[in-house]
Amino acid sequence: MSTYLERYAWPHECFPDYQPPQELSLIVVIPCFKEPDLTGALESLSSCNYPPGKLLVIVVLNEPEEASNEIRKANEQTMRDLQSFQCDYPVLVTQKKLPQKKAGVGLARKIGMDEAVRLYKKAGKDGPIVCYDADCRCDANYLEEIEKAYQNPETQSGIIFYKHSLHRENHQAIVDYELYLRYYIDALRFARFPYAHQTLGSCITVRSSMYEKVGGMNTRKAGEDFYFLNKTIPHGGFVEINTTTIRPSDRVSDRVPFGTGKAVNDILNEDEKYHVYHPNTFEDLKLFFDKVDGFWNEEEWKIPMTIKTFLGDNWQEQIADIKNQVSSLEQFRKRFFHWFDAFKILKFVHFCRDEFYQNVELEEALEWLRQKHFFLKGTKESLLIQLRYLDRQVTKK
């Protein structure tokens, strides 16, 4: 048993008597809480063009220890649905009552992914773990494109291209929310942040050994995907799998404190237009990141006031400390962006919002994007289609 499984994994093995097939190539992990149509997600996987013996699905059917009657009944119905569900691949289901303080998607995802590590070790393999959600749908080539990406031994983790399903009743809300998600990442790419990638939990894949290396999934009740990828991407071997598509649901949800479901609900309940981070924030980040090589070459250290105020009076010493720890520009760049990582960027963005630049209407932010990509034009729906096309062109970093 590995150090990770001994010290950091969920301590209770879920399927001790199960022996995975020798041809196993993919393990898909699905956390399931108060889900009305898990079998629909499984049917979508079942319709993929993929040999049945190579796929294994783990479902973590979970609820808090003090779950309401509504939640318990919903999970009981899901279990009945699973018992009558038939498909060509094994679906292993574990039911968990989670500690009240920790109950949430992070812990549920961790339990399933830890179990995937155990099963890969039983099979003598180091294969990809695929995160999927119980309200998702996927393209027919979803599984084979993931496997193809991991046939390259350098691939250690990845994110799969996504498009939210657009239902008529929530159409404009989910268009606004996905535009915000793509605006934020495209703005970071404009700023030349090297690790600017989408971080939706249902789109994550990771090789089993890399999962162990970074200490596994965290147990946050929401945002677990962002923090996991923030640890994983800088290790290298990260790819964007843009040759297939996963379709997260656009439904309203109260199951997590933030994320797609809550965002759609908030947008639908707002009287005002949707607001997002000010473009000036990303302009300042670009000015800062453009100076990274200059920091190494001891050129003039002049940075935007927003960055200087955020980092404090000793910002030069912080950068000098990084420089003293490395012996080349390449190492300096890598260490610099381990320090000013996606989490620090998010804190900076919030700092700017509170102290310098108030949020702007989504339309104003999109107009700024139009100026950076002059060919963007049309309605918000048409802009979303164009941004999806642009984002699909992003490849391995």
Side-chain angles (χ1 to χ4, degrees), residues 207-344:
R207 195 178 293 276
S208 179
S209 56
M210 176 57 71
Y211 177 82
E212 292 186 88
K213 183 176 182 178
V214 299
M217 179 58 67
N218 60 80
T219 58
R220 290 176 175 270
K221 294 190 176 185
E224 82 293 344
D225 40 17
F226 172 83
Y227 291 95
F228 178 75
L229 284 175
N230 190 43
K231 290 189 304 180
T232 306
I233 292 173
H235 283 276
F238 179 83
V239 298
E240 295 219 6
I241 304 173
N242 291 331
T243 51
T244 189
T245 303
I246 188 166
R247 294 178 174 80
S249 172
D250 70 337
R251 67 180 179 171
V252 173
S253 175
D254 60 357
R255 296 170 305 153
V256 292
F258 54 88
T260 302
K262 184 179 186 302
V264 171
N265 186 53
D266 290 346
I267 295 169
L268 290 172
N269 290 329
E270 283 182 359
D271 295 329
E272 301 179 356
K273 293 184 177 180
Y274 193 45
H275 286 68
V276 299
Y277 303 123
H278 199 294
N280 284 357
T281 303
F282 305 102
E283 296 277 5
D284 288 356
L285 278 172
K286 184 178 186 302
L287 290 173
F288 182 48
F289 293 158
D290 281 348
K291 292 186 176 292
V292 171
D293 288 8
F295 295 149
W296 174 257
N297 295 322
E298 298 186 355
E299 298 173 4
E300 182 183 4
W301 287 20
K302 186 177 180 181
I303 63 175
M305 180 57 67
T306 52
I307 301 280
K308 185 176 180 180
T309 308
F310 173 69
L311 292 177
D313 293 337
N314 68 335
W315 66 272
Q316 289 178 310
E317 288 82 355
Q318 294 178 59
I319 295 175
D321 286 344
I322 297 171
K323 185 175 179 180
N324 291 335
Q325 297 173 32
V326 297
S327 58
S328 70
L329 174 57
E330 182 179 358
Q331 292 174 345
F332 176 75
R333 288 175 184 149
K334 185 174 183 180
R335 187 68 65 96
F336 178 91
F337 286 110
H338 281 204
W339 167 63
F340 213 102
D341 62 3
F343 182 51
K344 189 179 284 289

Side-chain angles (χ1 to χ4, degrees), residues 18 20-21 24 28 52-58 87-93:
Y18 181 78
L24 178 65
V28 175
K54 302 176 75 173
L55 173 66
L56 174 63
V57 175
I58 297 173
C87 60
D88 295 330
Y89 52 84
V91 179
L92 305 181
V93 182

Side-chain angles (χ1 to χ4, degrees), residues 98-114:
L98 305 181
Q100 198 72 25
K101 290 185 178 181
K102 286 286 189 180
V105 66
L107 179 54
R109 216 183 283 282
K110 173 181 173 57
I111 290 171
M113 296 177 82
D114 289 352

